[in-house]
Amino acid sequence: MSEIVGAMNLYAIRRRDFWGTPEELQQTAARSAEVGAEMSDDVRWIRTYVVQEESGKLGTVCLYEGTSAEKVREQAERTGMPADEITLVADTVIVNPDPVPATT
């Protein structure tokens, strides 16, 4: 599957071993939302899964819509975070909805 120029494609972004604490991740997420608002014609943040890395740090798997992989990478660079891998999503298979975290 190839990118459709000018249209919003879905991308998966892997960010490895970047955050030491959940607070650091939240600060980056706030900055990412600001940059995303500035780039809303080219990039749209869909969701993020936070993963525990073997190193003890936190990483993420994010889903973004974007007009190109380059624009998705630009959003990451302007935010100050890595985009170790950016992969065009070919299709989505949903078996069950994402779980909703319990509130205390």
Side-chain angles (χ1 to χ4, degrees):
M1 181 175 190
S2 61
E3 293 178 322
I4 301 171
V5 178
M8 288 282 197
N9 298 294
L10 188 62
Y11 296 92
I13 299 99
R14 182 69 165 98
R15 308 179 205 279
R16 299 178 188 279
D17 295 302
F18 188 67
W19 297 275
T21 66
E23 293 78 21
E24 290 174 2
L25 189 140
Q26 288 301 321
Q27 289 173 350
T28 304
R31 176 67 182 138
S32 181
E34 291 172 6
V35 172
E38 295 167 6
M39 298 182 65
S40 62
D41 289 343
D42 290 307
V43 177
R44 185 170 154 235
W45 182 10
I46 304 300
R47 71 172 40 97
T48 293
Y49 300 97
V50 179
V51 296
Q52 184 70 58
E53 302 284 4
E54 290 182 20
S55 67
K57 290 187 171 187
L58 299 174
T60 59
V61 177
C62 303
L63 295 177
Y64 276 74
E65 286 182 329
T67 55
S68 69
E70 291 77 21
K71 287 295 184 180
V72 172
R73 186 171 306 284
E74 178 185 337
Q75 192 274 347
E77 289 172 357
R78 287 177 55 183
T79 298
M81 64 182 163
D84 300 317
E85 300 166 30
I86 299 175
T87 307
L88 182 65
V89 175
D91 200 357
T92 303
V93 177
I94 299 174
V95 177
N96 290 294
D98 285 344
V100 177
T103 57
T104 55

